[in-house]
């Protein structure tokens, strides 16, 4: 992918039930360089608990945009690539793994290959904790994707799904990685050699 390309990354949480998940999603956005947090018809108040969960990732939470309905969201945010996430297959939900879908988009979608799309936003859309996105909420998305799991439980915590979705997106589209300030490095005497063998 062209390293010059820049994408405006939005996280959209639809009918979220728990403010701690909204706060933790804001922290994940700060980790992964996402730009805007959009709440659609949230089912909870945003109080100090959300701020605690956001920890050092307060910016998206503090600058969140709230829409009363999916219709309002779609009318106000008409342009851009909309990717809905679901853990369920079924009629009208032909889902593919997110990374696989992104690779396909790279090769086939004008969004990733033509210069005029460089400043359009990407929306990652996640449903409520209890039931996910409805068929009506998915129907206007460009793609319907899932985050692969490897255990018996395919249902992810909302904020963890946001973090994984953003990580997978960054693995494909790239971006400038965070540079550590050295504060987490061990002193020279404590560092282990690269070929360290505890046996």
């Amino acid at each position: 992918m062209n390293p010059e390309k820049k994408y405006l990354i939005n996280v959209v949480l639809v009918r979220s039930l728990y403010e701690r998940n909204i706060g933790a999603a804001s922290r994940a956005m700060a980790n992964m360089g996402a730009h805007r947090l959009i709440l659609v018809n949230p089912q909870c108040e945003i109080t100090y608990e959300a701020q605690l969960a956001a920890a050092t990732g307060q910016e998206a939470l503090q600058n969140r945009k709230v829409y009363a309905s999916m219709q309002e969201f779609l009318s106000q945010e008409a342009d851009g690539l909309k990717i809905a996430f679901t853990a369920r297959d079924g009629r009208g939900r032909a889902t593919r793994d997110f990374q696989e879908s992104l690779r396909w988009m790279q090769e086939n979608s004008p969004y990733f290959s033509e210069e005029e799309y460089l400043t359009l936003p990407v929306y990652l859309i996640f449903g409520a904790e209890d039931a996910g996105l409805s068929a009506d909420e998915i129907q206007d998305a460009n793609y319907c994707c899932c985050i692969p799991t490897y255990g018996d439980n395919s249902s992810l915590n909302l904020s963890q799904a946001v973090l994984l979705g953003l990580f997978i997106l960054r693995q494909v589209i790239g971006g400038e990685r965070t540079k550590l300030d050295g504060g987490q490095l061990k002193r020279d005497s404590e560092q282990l050699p690269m070929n360290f063998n505890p046996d």
Side-chain angles (χ1 to χ4, degrees), residues 4-176:
E4 300 294 321
K5 290 191 175 185
K6 301 204 181 286
Y7 299 91
L8 303 176
I9 304 171
N10 300 270
V11 170
V12 183
L13 306 182
V14 181
R15 294 179 291 99
S16 299
L17 299 174
Y18 307 116
E19 62 171 306
R20 61 181 176 272
N21 282 333
I22 296 173
S26 179
R27 183 175 186 173
M29 292 173 65
N31 293 141
M32 295 295 152
H35 302 96
R36 293 174 67 221
L37 174 62
I38 297 172
L39 305 181
V40 176
N41 189 20
Q43 302 296 296
C44 59
E45 297 290 330
I46 304 300
T47 70
Y48 186 55
E49 184 178 354
Q51 295 177 26
L52 284 175
T56 55
Q58 297 284 334
E59 184 174 356
L61 180 66
Q62 296 301 322
N63 298 314
R64 65 191 178 273
K65 178 68 177 178
V66 180
Y67 293 110
S69 66
M70 281 296 286
Q71 291 73 21
E72 184 183 11
F73 161 66
L74 292 168
S75 67
Q76 296 298 314
E77 311 267 350
D79 294 329
L81 178 68
K82 295 178 174 64
I83 301 171
F85 287 85
T86 181
R88 293 176 287 166
D89 284 317
R91 188 173 65 180
R93 293 187 183 220
T95 63
R96 299 170 67 179
D97 283 357
F98 185 35
Q99 187 168 29
E100 175 188 338
S101 296
L102 287 171
R103 298 294 185 196
W104 184 91
M105 290 178 220
Q106 279 185 303
E107 297 177 2
N108 298 280
S109 172
Y111 196 95
F112 286 92
S113 61
E114 295 181 7
E115 293 300 315
E116 64 264 30
Y117 288 90
L118 297 190
T119 58
L120 288 183
V122 176
Y123 297 90
L124 304 186
I125 305 172
F126 301 84
E129 292 89 335
D130 59 345
L133 293 168
S134 69
D136 288 342
E137 291 164 343
I138 285 176
Q139 67 180 358
D140 291 304
N142 300 104
Y143 298 94
C144 185
C145 298
C146 64
I147 296 172
T149 55
Y150 297 89
D152 294 335
N153 186 2
S154 63
S155 177
L156 292 163
N157 169 271
L158 175 59
S159 61
Q160 292 173 340
V162 170
L163 178 61
L164 287 169
L166 290 171
F167 178 77
I168 292 169
L169 180 66
R170 282 296 185 188
Q171 289 287 289
V172 175
I173 70 172
E176 186 175 347

